Amino acid sequence: MVEKVGIIGLGLIGGSLARRLNANGVEVTAWNHRPHPYAAAQAEGIHCVNTLAELVAFEPQALVLCNPLKAMPRILGELKPLLDEHPGITLTDVGSVKGMVLSQVEQAGLGECYVGAHPMAGTQFSGYAHSRADLFQGAPLVLVPPA
């Protein structure tokens, strides 16, 4: 069973995932590019950190990329040396564009620890304030292994 998960990005999807995992007893630590959702997340028992280095040092079993796609190359570049120091962490994402993300993951040298995923859930809203623990209830999750 997964006991520790790291979340990168506390928007609608990342926030909903963090809330769901936390409600199910999983220890969740999150990082967001801006700290504005931290107070609300911390009030619900989600540990928030200020850097990706702190997030990886938490040593989650899985690290979920829930950040905007345009930020992916920068975040992956910063994660590469951190994950090299913690080789047991599985990297996954929730982005809808798998080919581009897989290419960026491989360019960053993180293909060996990556499993692409896409939850078929969401709403027309964005941001942590609109996230909810039941967003994934009954929704399929597509796993996308590399070719």
Side-chain angles (χ1 to χ4, degrees), residues 16-123:
S16 295
L17 182 59
R19 285 177 159 175
R20 177 64 176 248
L21 291 169
N22 186 56
N24 285 299
V26 175
E27 189 178 352
V28 177
T29 296
W31 172 85
N32 197 68
H33 69 288
R34 294 180 303 181
H36 67 274
Y38 285 1
Q42 289 171 326
E44 296 178 19
I46 297 164
H47 179 68
C48 298
V49 295
N50 295 315
T51 68
L52 289 173
E54 290 176 88
L55 182 60
V56 173
F58 163 67
E59 296 190 341
Q61 292 156 292
L63 188 57
V64 187
L65 298 161
C66 303
N67 51 276
L69 291 174
K70 67 182 179 181
M72 198 68 74
R74 179 184 58 78
I75 289 173
L76 291 169
E78 192 172 334
L79 283 175
K80 171 62 173 147
L82 301 171
L83 292 176
D84 283 348
E85 295 177 11
H86 300 271
I89 298 174
T90 298
L91 182 65
T92 189
D93 75 303
V94 297
S96 60
V97 184
K98 295 280 73 91
M100 181 180 76
V101 173
L102 176 59
S103 175
Q104 292 171 344
V105 165
E106 288 175 344
Q107 287 174 6
L110 293 168
E112 292 294 317
C113 66
Y114 174 74
V115 177
H118 179 48
M120 305 305 239
T123 71

